[in-house]
Each structure stands twice: as structure tokens, then as C-alpha cells.
Amino acid sequence: MSLPLTIESNSCCVPRVTSTASVEDAERAARVFKALGDPTRVRLLSLIAAGEGGEACICDLTEPVGLSQGTVSHHMKLLAEAGLVTREQRGKWAYFALNGSVLDAAADALRTT
Amino acid sequence: MSLPLTIESNSCCVPRVTSTASVEDAERAARVFKALGDPTRVRLLSLIAAGEGGEACICDLTEPVGLSQGTVSHHMKLLAEAGLVTREQRGKWAYFALNGSVLDAAADALRTT
């Protein structure tokens, strides 16, 4: 395993974990990973990824995870606040899509090579 | 952004978030991200990455994060339980190194491309 030799910040929004992280960098990175650190939120992300066109209506997310719409809305709010998903209101329903750039930045933050 | 078309499990230990995740897959992935979801633990990982030979003695980790050795030990235990670091006892002190394969697997789990 080779380790990064220089201080490096991710171009988007999740600083590299495996390099020198300032307190602020660490807080930003931890915020994203904390949002990912819940099994229901991981499943919600995977359901959105599997949705038609890479998006999903909140109305289609409640049944697969077996939780109330209020609880699912709360999880989606945390994912949106972390920047992991984008939200679009269409009439009665909110639609969510993965935010690929933040997911990829979070992935890059963990790279050891 | 292209999304994975098939159900895919990571070869190591962190199932892909951006594909169809079973309840068990989601729990495994969330466990790793939960360990990463704390600013102190992110800083500890970055300190280890920056350490000589990619490792660090617990005795060198307390001062930079400004916490007691007991608190740092607790954080290191959570990181070790998540598989993110390995621990080696050398005489009086524990030495920690990043577990590159788990970090890389966690990174792969977030890839959208």
C-alpha cells in the first residue's frame, strides 16, 4: 500500500481521509460518512441508484424499507443535507437522485493509492 | 453519471452502496461508514496515514487530537472493529496501521461509475 506524500484536498467537497486532514477537513468528511453510517440510509441510496433514470419518488421508497413516510423523509433529509442526494419536488411528491460528484468525492477521500 | 446495471458485491467486505443492497449488505456497509463518521476518527486515520511507514504508535496520537489516551484508545478500538486499521502490540505500546483493502473497498462501495 502506498500512501499519499502530500497534503491533498479533494477537488469537490470531501477531503482526503488518508492524507493530512485539518480539523475542518475532518469535520466535513465525517459529516458525509455519518450520513452513510446507517443501514436504512444505505438501502435508500441503493434503491435510488436502482430506480428508473437513477432517481426515485419518495412514494416508492417507503415500502421496500418497511418504514413510515415520515421516517423515510427524515433519512432523506439527512442524505440531502450531506449532499449525497438531490431533491426535486414534482407536484405532490419529492423525487431524489444520487449526487454522483459527492459520492465519488467520498470514495476518493478513502483511497490509499 | 452512469449507474451499475447489475447486482454487485465488493470483493472484500464493503458491499456496493450504489447498487442493489440487501439488508445484510447495507448493515455491513453502514458499520464501516459509521466508524468513519466522526471527526476525531477521521483525524486519527489521517495521522496514521502520515506516520512513518504508514503506521503510528498510540503514544503519538493523543497529543495531536488533544484527547486522553483512554478516549483515543476507544476511537481506535471502533476503527479496528470496523476493519479500518490493524493493531500490533509492541512492548508497552499499541501500533496502528491503515487497512488499505477495507478503505479501498469502502471507496469502491461509493463509486457511481
Side-chain angles (χ1 to χ4, degrees):
Chain A
M1 178 175 71
S2 80
L3 288 160
L5 297 172
T6 52
I7 295 173
E8 199 175 345
S9 256
N10 189 279
S11 57
C12 167
C13 32
V14 187
R16 190 139 178 165
V17 166
T18 49
S19 182
T20 309
S22 70
V23 174
E24 295 72 27
D25 283 351
E27 278 167 3
R28 278 196 297 156
R31 207 173 302 136
V32 172
F33 293 122
K34 194 172 181 182
L36 290 163
D38 176 278
T40 298
R41 290 197 287 278
V42 169
R43 291 197 66 215
L44 289 168
L45 288 176
S46 80
L47 288 165
I48 294 166
E52 206 182 320
E55 61 167 31
C57 173
I58 185 111
C59 55
D60 292 325
L61 294 173
T62 50
E63 189 270 326
V65 294
L67 295 169
S68 72
Q69 202 187 304
T71 303
V72 172
S73 288
H74 173 70
H75 283 301
M76 291 313 303
K77 186 166 176 276
L78 294 178
L79 288 170
E81 282 171 357
L84 290 161
V85 296
T86 55
R87 181 187 191 282
E88 194 186 316
Q89 190 74 29
R90 292 187 205 152
K92 186 181 168 188
W93 299 112
Y95 283 74
F96 294 93
L98 299 190
N99 188 345
S101 63
V102 173
L103 281 160
D104 288 342
D108 287 340
L110 298 175
R111 286 264 167 246
T112 57
T113 49
Chain B
M1 178 176 73
S2 80
L3 289 159
L5 296 171
T6 52
I7 295 172
E8 199 174 343
S9 256
N10 187 280
S11 56
C12 166
C13 31
V14 187
R16 190 139 177 164
V17 166
T18 49
S19 181
T20 309
S22 69
V23 174
E24 294 72 27
D25 283 351
E27 280 167 2
R28 276 196 298 156
R31 207 173 302 137
V32 172
F33 293 121
K34 194 172 180 180
L36 291 164
D38 176 276
T40 298
R41 290 197 287 278
V42 168
R43 290 197 67 215
L44 289 167
L45 288 176
S46 81
L47 289 165
I48 295 167
E52 204 183 322
E55 61 168 31
C57 172
I58 184 111
C59 56
D60 293 324
L61 294 173
T62 50
E63 190 271 326
V65 294
L67 295 169
S68 72
Q69 201 187 304
T71 304
V72 172
S73 287
H74 173 70
H75 283 302
M76 292 312 304
K77 186 164 176 276
L78 294 179
L79 289 170
E81 282 171 358
L84 290 161
V85 296
T86 56
R87 180 188 191 282
E88 195 186 314
Q89 190 73 29
R90 292 187 205 152
K92 186 183 169 189
W93 299 111
Y95 282 74
F96 293 92
L98 299 190
N99 189 344
S101 62
V102 172
L103 281 159
D104 288 342
D108 287 340
L110 298 176
R111 284 265 168 245
T112 56
T113 48

